[in-house]
Amino acid sequence: MDLDSSSPLAQDKALTVLGLESSCDETAAAIVRLETDGRASVLAEKVRGQNEAHAPYGGVVPEIAARAHAEVIDGLVKDVLDESGLTLAELDGIAATAGPGLIGGLMAALMTAKGLALGSGKPLLAVNHLEGHALSPRLSAPLAFPYLLLLVSGGHTQLVTVEGVGRYHRLGSTLDDAAGEAFDKTAKVMGLGFPGGPALEKMAAAGNPDRFELPTPLGHRPGFDFSFAGLKTAARQIWERLENPTDADKADLAAGMQRQIARALANRASNAMKYFMETYPDIHEYAFVVAGGVAANRTVRTALEAVAETQGFRLIAPPMKWCTDNAAMIALAGAERLRLGQTDELSAPARARWPLDARSAKLEPAIGSGRKGPKA
Ligand code: KG4
Ligand code: ZN
């Protein structure tokens, strides 16, 4: 999509868009209305999780996810149309996440959206899931561009400057695992259940984070990238050395791991805030947005609040339902794109990998960008 070649569309009317999401393990549909002044309202939304289906395997199984999305997505579309009292004919566009994500899962939302777009004659918006997260704070309240975003979920850990719709600059991302993945995999090794993040946080509550010596990812080197694989491996090795671990052992290891992840996120965020202030010296109010499931973690939140306060940024965390995977953010991103006239052909492909900022991904590819490389 090329900003320059697009023609602004319907500046004088509110746009109502249906959004669909199925890139990981949440199936979701939502209808969002975007006013001409940029305010957004969610007219209806539904999310269906798959935790029970994946729990026996301790992680998301792509085939199970794809089938589960396909089974429920039609019903969710019907539900949000019913709830909003709207018909397809009353919508202005149909948006779906087209990537990045699990290809089998992406198909469910994208194919459904294509069918609906074809049947209704409405334009299709093939949305980048990361763009949805990047714009998600604007679902709750107007927020002026530019702002700094930390996206921290099970699939992504990246720092991005959001300069406008379609204008994103990735400052840094994970070189290996996402932060949520480090939580999940450590929880799995420790037998804490799935999803691991919340389970590990609960276990950590009574723990002593100082007991086990765990590495500090990337030390205090400058820069904006993250790395969690070394920390995850260190935690696993400590775990394997423990004989008959007690609840106290578990709590101490969980607390140590959680604190190191929080510290790494806060340290990189602090670097990014300094860079952001140098890049935009004249902004009235600096905003730092945290999105993604890991933002639910209290220790992480507290560490990020502390750096935001030190650097003079206002920390904005969208409500949890819009922080984790949802379709309202996809509908909003679709509506913003539609406003700019950036619609997609019905041949738009699903893309397992789709960097939000293609230029940064090309110029500064993160290490290991092959099959095992970072998700975005
Ligand atoms: O944004 P999200 O719902 O889905 C994507 O990955 O896109 O994020 C899910 C991730 C999982 O890795 C989960 O373990 C983690 O967020 N998570 C947490 C907490 N709640 C969710 N990690 C740490 N502490 C939590 N309380
Ligand atoms: Zn996500």
Side-chain angles (χ1 to χ4, degrees), residues 118-184:
L118 187 65
S120 64
K122 303 290 172 181
L124 173 75
L125 294 311
V127 171
N128 184 314
H129 179 83
L130 303 172
E131 177 165 42
H133 279 300
L135 298 178
S136 64
R138 292 158 59 87
L139 282 168
S140 332
L143 176 61
F145 299 116
Y147 50 86
L148 180 65
L149 170 82
L150 172 65
L151 173 57
V152 62
S153 69
H156 313 283
T157 304
Q158 44 185 289
L159 279 157
V160 176
T161 59
V162 182
E163 293 155 8
V165 176
R167 290 168 47 213
Y168 312 99
H169 177 50
R170 193 192 67 192
L171 300 180
S173 65
T174 182
L175 305 176
D176 38 60
D177 291 339
E181 216 173 339
F183 271 111
D184 291 340

Side-chain angles (χ1 to χ4, degrees), residues 23-26 129 133 151-156 179-184 195-201 258 291-298 300 320 323-325:
S23 65
C24 189
D25 60 346
E26 242 91 38
H129 179 83
H133 279 300
L151 173 57
V152 62
S153 69
H156 313 283
E181 216 173 339
F183 271 111
D184 291 340
L200 194 137
E201 176 169 28
Q258 175 175 263
V294 178
N297 185 283
R298 262 283 121 218
V300 168
M320 222 42 224
C323 216
T324 56
D325 286 351

Side-chain angles (χ1 to χ4, degrees), residues 194-224:
F194 175 83
L200 194 137
E201 176 169 28
K202 208 164 153 205
M203 187 47 89
N208 167 15
D210 294 319
R211 174 166 157 213
F212 295 111
E213 203 167 313
L214 287 159
T216 305
L218 298 176
H220 288 287
R221 268 181 275 168
F224 315 114

Side-chain angles (χ1 to χ4, degrees), residues 310-329:
T310 306
Q311 302 292 343
F313 276 67
R314 179 162 72 97
L315 185 122
I316 299 170
M320 222 42 224
K321 63 176 178 176
W322 295 332
C323 216
T324 56
D325 286 351
N326 67 88
M329 68 181 191

Side-chain angles (χ1 to χ4, degrees), residues 9-15 35-36 339:
L9 177 118
Q11 292 294 350
D12 56 342
K13 86 186 246 299
L15 295 174
E35 307 294 340
T36 49
R339 176 80 76 209

